[in-house]
Amino acid sequence: MERWKTIIEPFRIHSVEPIRLTSVEERERALEAAGWNLFNLHSADVIVDLLTDSGTGSMSSEQWAGIQRGDESYAGSPSWFRFLAAVQHLFPFRHVIPTHQGRAAEKILFSVIAGPGKAIPNNTHFDTTRANVEFTGAEAVDLVIAEGREPATIHPFKGNMDLDALDAFIRERGAASVPAVFVTVTNNSGGGQPVSLENLRGVRAICDRHGLPLFLDACRFAENAWFIHEREAGYSRIAIPEIVREMASLADGMTMSAKKDGLANIGGWLAVDDDGLAERCRNLLILTEGFPTYGGLAGRDLEAIAQGLSEVVQEDYLHYRIRSTAYLGEALDRAGVPVVKPIGGHAVYIDARSLLPHIPPLAYPGQALVVALYREGGIRGCEIGTVMFGRHPDGSETSAAMDLVRLAIPRRTYTQSHIDYVIEVVRWVAERAGDLRGLRMTEEPPQLRHFTARFQPL
Ligand code: F0G
């Protein structure tokens, strides 16, 4: 394999979904009807959908076979035991609690361990994780290393936790008010950036010193393990499942969305070692999700996830996955489009604020860029900037730390020619960046405004 430079998709296409090719005029009408918010579009009007990598991937023929095998017994189904074995093969925690997706696992865990006066440190909380922490009255604190906040700074493990800041934070608050420390692998909100095993060991040592449990938000664990395999000294010959088990061995539990590295369209789980904690979580699970051997899932979903977990750690898949994301990012970088570097695992993040310096943050440069990419090429990306984070609980509005546009790559879904098309469209828009105008928000809900806000171009 080493002889060839071309990285092919390590699969053949077995069933296809047609894409309807729309015109600029049609897309302008769709934008107007959507109030210039791409969350309001009909996905049938999108040509290449890079809104999220969550639940949007393709399943393999073996996963579809598993769907057929799914056993829908209420309790103790063989599909549950296959799921349990697949999870514990990679993450040998004593208790595995299935949920309908990642945020349900977060909701259950934080309902049990967090609450007013408590604080949860993380490298960077994903939005739902932060929201679930805050919903209990606790505080969500982001302590990623300084390089993780600088789009252009190159660092092999930009998702690492700032160990000194973590130690200082726990000392200042007192270990009694920190119910757990979280590490998100890879660090989605920071650009899909990995965390090294060395850093995880450092976090573990701090947790041990203070007697605190460590949890992984492991949504993109396989992509993180691949970066360790490629970049961390001593791991180039270690198999991916072993690296994953080493990550797990440093933690006391995990939350997971199987919609990412479970290679499934739905699902998740919470896993813990502590018997008492597991019992309290299971009691809540029964209230909100379902019986402990299916959680919020059908037997067939458990099968799809079990099979997905065996496919996601295959080296051919991960090599293709990480290289093909980098292929998009590196092409944009070569074309002079400012992107977060190095390129992360699941997405390319364009720095819209630096591409559109003439649009002030409060005229939403990220939104201007996602609208232009859709108008010109039917590409749907996601604004991660002032639209998403600019409004505060006290009613004020300020610019977010960065105005980024995320192009998230669904797993095993688009081919290189789709990505070449995306590169061509982004370059075309970037060459005419000076022509883009900002937007004004005309309607906004009180919380999570980015999902339903409406805009008018300025
Ligand atoms: N943690 C991380 C790091 C995530 O990226 C997500 C979801 C979740 C937790 C929640 O999982 O969606 O199954 O409830 N991220 C998606 C995204 C939505 O687009 O990045 P979920």
Side-chain angles (χ1 to χ4, degrees), residues 58-115:
S58 304
M59 291 208 294
S60 67
S61 44
E62 284 302 317
Q63 285 180 291
W64 284 108
I67 294 271
Q68 277 298 323
R69 239 186 349 256
D71 180 308
E72 305 304 339
S73 304
Y74 191 91
S77 144
S79 300
W80 154 252
F81 289 106
R82 270 192 285 273
F83 168 86
L84 180 63
V87 172
Q88 288 181 328
H89 175 67
L90 293 170
F91 302 98
F93 296 115
R94 287 165 48 74
H95 303 277
V96 177
I97 297 172
T99 59
H100 78 276
Q101 62 183 88
R103 66 198 70 180
E106 295 162 8
K107 167 82 177 141
I108 289 172
L109 179 66
F110 294 129
S111 302
V112 172
I113 67 170

Side-chain angles (χ1 to χ4, degrees), residues 141-188:
V141 184
D142 294 341
L143 298 175
V144 72
I145 55 170
E147 292 88 337
R149 301 178 201 266
E150 300 159 1
T153 305
I154 306 280
H155 185 289
F157 291 102
K158 245 178 144 169
N160 280 355
M161 184 81 92
D162 182 332
L163 298 178
D164 292 336
L166 176 65
D167 196 47
F169 179 81
I170 299 168
R171 280 174 203 286
E172 184 197 313
R173 288 298 174 95
S177 54
V178 180
V181 174
F182 256 76
V183 177
T184 303
V185 295
T186 56
N187 191 27
N188 180 11

Side-chain angles (χ1 to χ4, degrees), residues 179-301:
V181 174
F182 256 76
V183 177
T184 303
V185 295
T186 56
N187 191 27
N188 180 11
S189 310
Q193 301 292 333
V195 176
S196 69
L197 271 167
E198 185 189 17
N199 187 254
L200 270 180
R201 277 187 221 106
V203 175
R204 174 77 265 170
I206 292 170
C207 287
D208 285 344
R209 219 155 44 236
H210 297 282
L212 299 181
L214 168 59
F215 276 80
L216 300 176
D217 176 342
C219 295
R220 298 177 181 84
F221 71 87
E223 294 171 8
N224 199 85
W226 180 257
F227 282 116
I228 289 170
H229 184 270
E230 294 296 286
R231 296 181 185 170
E232 191 157 356
Y235 286 92
S236 64
R237 288 168 193 279
I238 311 287
I240 301 300
E242 258 181 76
I243 296 177
V244 175
R245 279 189 289 270
E246 189 167 343
M247 288 159 57
S249 74
L250 295 166
D252 301 282
M254 68 188 291
T255 56
M256 174 71 190
S257 167
K259 303 175 74 168
K260 287 80 169 177
D261 277 350
L263 298 181
N265 301 123
I266 197 71
W269 68 85
L270 166 64
V272 299
D273 270 335
D274 185 284
D275 297 343
L277 176 60
E279 192 187 332
R280 279 178 289 153
C281 291
R282 274 205 192 95
N283 290 338
L284 263 186
L285 180 86
I286 294 171
L287 274 185
T288 59
E289 292 280 297
F291 189 73
T293 66
Y294 70 86
L297 296 166
R300 54 181 167 272
D301 300 325

